Amino acid sequence: MEKIAQKFEKDVIRRDVQWLTASRESSVSFTPLHALDGIITPNGLCFERHHAGIAEIDPNDYRLIIHGLVDKPLIFTLDDLKRLPRVNRIHFLECAANTGMEWRGAQLNGCQYTHGMIHTVQYTGVPLKLLLEQAGVKPAGKWLLVEGGDASGLNRSVPLDKALDDCMIAYRQNGEMLRPEQGYPVRLVVPGWQGNMWVKWLRRIEVGDQPWYSREETSKYTDLMENGKARKFTFVMDAKSVITSPSPQAPVKQKGFQVISGLAWSGRGKVTRVDVSFDGGRNWRPARLDGPVLDKCCVRFYAEAEWNGEPWLLQSRAMDDTGYVQPSKDDLRKIRGVNSIYHNNGIQTWALKTNGEVENVEVG
Ligand code: MTE
């Protein structure tokens, strides 16, 4: 069976952008969005972003420590975590740098590369709230430092309110134990917030009274504005969408009936509506949302259309339940300039050519 899949589906793999990737261990690989449907990303196809390789942690030796401004510092083994009441939640994880290479113009020919730093997974684990309640956060405790057990010791500050609201200590993805590259055996889930905060190989949570201003939240993962000042803490990933098919890696093969398919998401809540345009944003029509529409989760949309071989400028535009509408790239740049790497949620344009090929372009 595996051989058949290897023969006919062998191109459905994570890929690197060669000029960006020194080695996959200390870099990034991209989810093949153009080859997927529905909302769940199969485990072996989830993009990976490692700051210093994949840590190898024996689950029997795994420990999670909670300390700082708590009544009772605690250490949990993996078995301790598995004995606690558990929940299942489906969420997207988007790297803040997703689409980051497109700030100055269309660069990469494929939604795998322009938008593939996202995956949507069902996580099984323990609400972080439960662990914090067991430790007893002191009244002065307002922030958490969350730290990974990899060589980068990646650490971030998370506001206590968010931790108590919906953060999870996850040990399973899509049913099986986390993959090593996703933080085996335990990672933090921070629904709707930038992927960098979803610490993998989570080993330490310290409760404090203010943010730590660690490297990853000061020199990195902040937005450098036109005037040279950087925004402090852009945690939430705003509403965004992309047409995954047709797209440069999924060209149109024949004229006639076409299923336009894509993904939309919002870190602020639920996607309420997606519009698609065939003429670069002059006219819009509502797409059909199909499958589950969940909080801080990807939703699948479809729009059916006849293609007679004329050029199309395909776009999608997401809206969420806060009333937010995904901006055009021009509107985004008016506010943000082009110094940023992070948080580019501008509307993507694909040019469908008369021969069925699709190209990454911008319309001005
Ligand atoms: N956690 C640790 N410990 N080390 C890391 O390098 N990378 C972060 C985050 N958590 C990272 C980490 C970044 S930048 C992102 S975008 C996500 O993990 C990527 O998660 P993934 O590899 O499951 O796609």
Side-chain angles (χ1 to χ4, degrees), residues 236-348:
V236 182
M237 301 306 290
D238 277 323
K240 186 166 168 180
S241 66
V242 65
I243 291 173
T244 52
S245 174
S247 64
Q249 296 156 289
V252 175
K253 290 188 179 140
Q254 62 188 60
K255 289 181 190 165
F257 187 77
Q258 308 295 329
V259 175
I260 319 294
S261 173
L263 286 171
W265 59 96
S266 168
R268 293 191 191 274
K270 282 186 183 158
V271 170
T272 48
R273 176 176 167 160
V274 179
D275 290 336
V276 293
S277 174
F278 296 82
D279 55 10
R282 280 198 190 90
N283 297 286
W284 294 94
R285 68 177 232 209
R288 189 165 57 80
L289 307 187
D290 191 82
V293 178
L294 300 169
D295 194 40
K296 298 161 192 145
C297 187
C298 276
V299 57
R300 175 61 61 177
F301 66 85
Y302 298 109
E304 288 81 16
E306 282 287 328
W307 183 58
N308 302 321
E310 75 274 30
W312 275 350
L313 288 171
L314 283 169
Q315 297 186 335
S316 64
R317 177 175 76 178
M319 281 152 258
D320 69 21
D321 56 6
T322 68
Y324 178 91
V325 181
Q326 184 184 357
S328 71
K329 289 194 174 171
D330 277 351
D331 284 347
L332 198 60
R333 288 189 190 114
K334 271 181 210 150
I335 297 167
R336 298 271 305 278
V338 291
N339 289 333
S340 288
I341 301 169
Y342 307 107
H343 304 107
N344 182 347
N345 69 325
I347 290 172
Q348 174 66 42

Side-chain angles (χ1 to χ4, degrees), residues 205-239:
I205 299 176
E206 184 177 347
V207 182
D209 57 1
Q210 54 190 317
W212 273 256
Y213 298 109
S214 71
R215 174 179 181 268
E216 302 289 337
E217 56 204 22
T218 49
S219 77
K220 300 276 186 303
Y221 299 99
T222 54
D223 297 324
L224 185 57
M225 307 296 282
E226 192 101 280
N227 64 5
K229 287 196 176 178
R231 275 186 183 167
K232 179 176 162 183
F233 301 152
T234 303
F235 294 143
V236 182
M237 301 306 290
D238 277 323

Side-chain angles (χ1 to χ4, degrees), residues 47-49 51 95 119 150 182 187 195-196 198 200 221:
F47 88 95
E48 311 156 63
R49 173 71 183 109
H51 289 241
C95 181
H119 50 62
D150 55 334
Q182 260 72 49
R187 94 173 301 164
N196 184 258
W198 297 49
K200 303 190 272 192
Y221 299 99

